[in-house]
Amino acid sequence: MGEIKVSPDYNWFRSTVPLKKIIVDDDDSKVWSLYDAGPRSIRCPLIFLPPVSGTADVFFQQILALTGWGYRVITLQYPVYWDHLEFCDGFRKLLDHLQLDKVHLFGASLGGFLAQKFAEYTHKSPRVQSLILCNAFSDTSIFNQTWTANSFWLMPAFMLKKIVLGNFASGPLDPEMADGIDFMVDRVFDQSALSTEAKEEMYKLYPNARRAHLKTGGNFPYLCRSAEVNLYIQIHLLQFHGTRYAAIDPSMVSAEELEVQKISLHTSSEQEEQ
């Protein structure tokens, strides 16, 4: 058994943060599972979208850390949708159910693809205030498989795990990365090891985006390099402190920090007007 599954942090998370089940479609079989933690007064929280059909608990380290600093965090596990438009419509209904007009999205792998599609889907009436993309891609054609893809559903679990593990880094891994892979493979078959071409395509699509590079961390840095990922998330959300789109409880932000943010916003507005 992997170290993450038996760690005190994971056990504390499972015992203190309840898992909610929500149905927003006419089809009762489509059930959203989510963890919603942090101050409910926050109306523009940070929502995490997992890879492939990943479980909502893969972001448990982000929930524990960020809510401790005053942020409202929601992590999701989506039901089965057969195309991205169907997903976007279901996700929009979920936000309506939660009474959230705008949100910040953190998308990992397929979650990053879906986050981009949802931002595009709602561009006429924006529901996404900002995006954080982790090992994401913009085109699913990069995952075109050989003839074996059609037979994946026939394979026993141990063969699927072997296929998935073959996509991850070979050679020695540090304990945290090994535990992260073990934790993810136990829950979901995620092929998020992106090619250089896929990464370059993302850079071209977002030339003005800020890049946060981790020297190590593999495919699941939110698990095995959580402290660094959480720091980058805080830096990203800092720009929204003191605004209606803040994901943090105002009482957790110092007056000095709010004043600096107001000056920054005022300067940015003047520059845009020029």
Side-chain angles (χ1 to χ4, degrees):
M1 180 177 289
E3 290 298 319
I4 292 178
K5 290 185 292 184
V6 297
S7 68
D9 284 347
Y10 183 68
N11 288 327
W12 172 255
F13 161 75
R14 291 300 300 269
S15 63
T16 57
V17 184
L19 178 64
K20 300 179 180 179
K21 305 282 188 177
I22 298 176
I23 297 175
V24 295
D25 293 287
D26 294 333
D27 184 352
D28 290 344
S29 67
K30 295 187 180 300
V31 181
W32 291 80
S33 301
L34 60 90
Y35 295 100
D36 187 350
R40 296 299 187 275
S41 59
I42 300 301
R43 308 311 304 163
C44 189
L46 174 61
I47 297 182
F48 287 81
L49 302 180
V52 193
S53 55
T55 51
D57 62 348
V58 300
F59 299 112
F60 78 95
Q61 297 193 79
Q62 282 64 56
I63 290 181
L64 291 178
L66 294 172
T67 57
W69 294 319
Y71 291 90
R72 182 180 180 185
V73 177
I74 299 174
T75 66
L76 298 176
Q77 178 179 339
Y78 12 85
V80 175
Y81 289 114
W82 295 107
D83 61 60
H84 69 268
L85 291 176
E86 188 180 359
F87 164 83
C88 289
D89 185 57
F91 188 39
R92 176 186 58 79
K93 292 176 181 177
L94 178 68
L95 295 185
D96 291 343
H97 176 84
L98 297 173
Q99 299 181 332
L100 301 174
D101 293 329
K102 276 195 171 184
V103 295
H104 304 280
L105 295 181
F106 180 111
S109 189
L110 180 63
F113 172 79
L114 294 174
Q116 295 171 82
K117 288 301 179 183
F118 184 71
E120 179 184 351
Y121 178 80
T122 60
H123 77 281
K124 292 184 178 179
S125 181
R127 303 296 294 270
V128 179
Q129 182 61 29
S130 73
L131 283 174
I132 305 175
L133 303 175
C134 175
N135 288 330
F137 48 88
S138 60
D139 186 353
T140 55
S141 65
I142 64 171
F143 293 105
N144 286 341
Q145 298 287 340
T146 62
W147 64 271
T148 57
N150 293 328
S151 61
F152 280 172
W153 67 279
L154 294 171
M155 295 181 180
F158 77 89
M159 289 186 66
L160 286 170
K161 288 189 177 184
K162 183 177 181 180
I163 292 173
V164 172
L165 287 171
N167 287 290
F168 299 141
S170 59
L173 297 174
D174 65 48
E176 289 83 2
M177 289 179 65
D179 287 339
I181 291 175
D182 180 72
F183 185 82
M184 289 297 296
V185 170
D186 187 57
R187 280 156 173 71
V188 58
F189 305 122
D190 175 39
Q191 299 186 33
S192 61
L194 298 180
S195 65
T196 301
E197 291 76 11
K199 294 178 181 178
E200 291 298 328
E201 183 62 27
M202 289 293 292
Y203 298 154
K204 291 178 183 178
L205 289 175
Y206 303 99
N208 298 320
R210 296 177 180 176
R211 301 182 193 176
H213 291 289
L214 297 178
K215 292 183 179 180
T216 60
N219 296 287
F220 317 117
Y222 40 88
L223 278 170
C224 54
R225 296 292 184 271
S226 61
E228 294 175 66
V229 171
N230 294 341
L231 177 61
Y232 284 132
I233 291 173
Q234 289 184 84
I235 293 172
H236 169 77
L237 294 176
L238 181 64
Q239 61 189 299
F240 304 103
H241 287 188
T243 74
R244 60 179 296 195
Y245 304 117
I248 191 173
D249 185 340
S251 66
M252 301 294 286
V253 183
S254 67
E256 292 79 6
E257 185 178 338
L258 286 176
E259 186 61 30
V260 171
Q261 183 64 11
K262 289 179 182 178
I263 294 173
S264 177
L265 290 172
H266 180 69
T267 303
S268 298
S269 298
E270 290 183 340
Q271 291 175 346
E272 290 178 0
E273 290 175 359
Q274 294 174 359

